[in-house]
Amino acid sequence: MQPSTPNQTHRTEFVLLGFTEAHETLLFLFALFLTMYLLTLLENLAIIVVVGLDHRLHRPMYFFLTHLSCLEIGYTSVTAPKMLAGLLGVAGGQRISYAGCLSQLFVFTFLGATECFLLAAMAYDRYVAICLPLRYGALVSWGTCVRLAAACWLGGFLTPVLPVYLTSRLTFCGPNVIDHFFCDASPLLALACSDVAPKETADLLVSLAVLLASSAVIAASYGRIVWTLLRIRTAAERRKAFSTCAAHLAVVSLFYGTLFFMYVRTGAASSISFNKVVSVFYSIVTPMLNPLIYSLRNQEVRGALGRAFSCRSWKGQ
């Protein structure tokens, strides 16, 4: 850590290096990421519209699914446009102000934490539906759903408050080039000239609290679900019960698997280029895949999509 000197000035902007080291493939990466970003917007908007229009999907599981789709749109929109501008070489596309960098870090962390909590709420919904079906209407009422969703958004919003505040107290007086495609915490801390120990401790504790709390709820819910399924005598009934939570389990595995792999990895796998690839996966690829998982694994969603976008629907027949 380099100490501050009288000749050093506080940085007012940063340069996001992104993927500019891959000179030969910039246009290919731009086309690839733009396609993925547009697909993410289209798929998640389709889920929101279809659930809103089809009264047969006005149930708690799909209520949470629309919130998940809203999160995915915001989650990828925080990073993708700036990354695409940098790949295309737009004037100022790689530059981001100090305030803009902190804002991007705050919103990205906020939406990521909210998704953790929302997936836990969806796991609770599946637990009640499978293990306590006779009490489902009482335990997962619309009022409960609204309160759970509000708690998820509020918990997610409060998550980055302390870490981002501590980041704002740091001094950035040296190089201003962030070797990443967005203002992630680790590459940003590498540029700080002041003591980053309090910030790193806060990041660790907050990340552990969010990940462990949400994953504990998910693990407990699915533990009870598995126990209930094992007590069902016929294989057909087990498959039918499990099919109601297969899509959610796939999304949880994809999301948490990537996050745990990112934060609990070996030193040999912690190169900057490797971090960028993993970051692309959980910030762009995962939001694109989640709507596909839900539409492919869920017959009701497939049917609603078919009805919404069929020629008969457009003709009003």
Side-chain angles (χ1 to χ4, degrees):
M1 187 67 57
Q2 296 177 351
S4 304
T5 66
N7 294 328
Q8 292 174 322
T9 58
H10 184 80
R11 292 295 180 183
T12 59
E13 71 172 13
F14 298 99
V15 177
L16 297 171
L17 193 59
F19 297 92
T20 52
E21 69 274 11
H23 303 288
E24 301 81 5
T25 59
L26 286 181
L27 288 179
F28 169 76
L29 290 176
F30 173 80
L32 176 64
F33 292 145
L34 177 61
T35 301
M36 295 170 67
Y37 178 53
L38 294 178
L39 282 174
T40 299
L41 297 180
L42 180 63
E43 292 165 0
N44 284 286
L45 284 173
I47 293 289
I48 294 170
V49 171
V50 166
V51 172
L53 294 179
D54 196 321
H55 68 278
R56 279 164 284 200
L57 299 183
H58 291 176
R59 302 207 302 273
M61 180 171 67
Y62 301 110
F63 170 79
F64 290 124
L65 182 57
T66 58
H67 281 265
L68 181 63
S69 291
C70 290
L71 278 172
E72 303 290 23
I73 291 173
Y75 197 57
T76 191
S77 295
V78 173
T79 58
K82 193 69 178 176
M83 178 184 63
L84 292 171
L87 288 171
L88 197 58
V90 175
Q94 291 180 271
R95 296 187 176 275
I96 185 169
S97 67
Y98 174 77
C101 186
L102 292 185
S103 298
Q104 187 182 57
L105 178 60
F106 183 95
V107 175
F108 188 79
T109 307
F110 156 44
L111 295 176
T114 303
E115 183 159 349
C116 288
F117 296 136
L118 186 64
L119 290 174
M122 295 173 77
Y124 169 75
D125 170 71
R126 292 298 83 206
Y127 153 69
V128 177
I130 294 175
C131 302
L132 304 169
L134 298 180
R135 301 179 59 194
Y136 184 77
L139 294 176
V140 192
S141 63
W142 281 111
T144 301
C145 291
V146 171
R147 288 191 291 271
L148 281 174
C152 292
W153 286 94
L154 179 60
F157 181 81
L158 294 177
T159 296
V161 170
L162 178 60
V164 173
Y165 170 75
L166 292 176
T167 302
S168 70
R169 307 300 297 172
L170 297 175
T171 301
F172 298 92
C173 52
N176 68 334
V177 178
I178 299 176
D179 197 358
H180 213 296
F181 61 89
F182 70 99
C183 285
D184 201 6
S186 297
L188 186 60
L189 290 183
L191 304 180
C193 302
S194 49
D195 183 19
V196 299
K199 159 66 175 168
E200 289 177 329
T201 301
D203 281 350
L204 177 63
L205 294 178
V206 169
S207 297
L208 284 176
V210 171
L211 290 175
L212 293 180
S214 56
S215 59
V217 172
I218 293 172
S221 298
Y222 275 101
R224 294 296 300 272
I225 288 172
V226 170
W227 176 250
T228 300
L229 292 179
L230 290 176
R231 297 168 64 186
I232 297 177
R233 294 186 177 183
T234 65
E237 290 178 347
R238 282 197 296 269
R239 284 195 298 270
K240 183 179 179 181
F242 181 75
S243 65
T244 65
C245 57
H248 176 260
L249 186 58
V251 169
V252 166
S253 301
L254 187 64
F255 184 75
Y256 279 89
T258 307
L259 284 183
F260 278 115
F261 185 69
M262 181 68 181
Y263 291 106
V264 188
R265 62 193 186 280
T266 62
S270 60
S271 69
I272 292 176
S273 297
F274 184 80
N275 290 349
K276 290 182 190 178
V277 173
V278 177
S279 297
V280 164
F281 196 84
Y282 70 72
S283 64
I284 297 177
V285 177
T286 299
M288 180 189 69
L289 292 179
N290 286 349
L292 292 176
I293 293 172
Y294 269 101
S295 60
L296 292 176
R297 297 288 305 182
N298 190 297
Q299 187 174 353
E300 289 181 312
V301 174
R302 291 201 308 270
L305 286 169
R307 289 189 297 270
F309 296 103
S310 66
C311 293
R312 293 181 56 142
S313 296
W314 290 110
K315 290 177 182 179
Q317 298 179 354

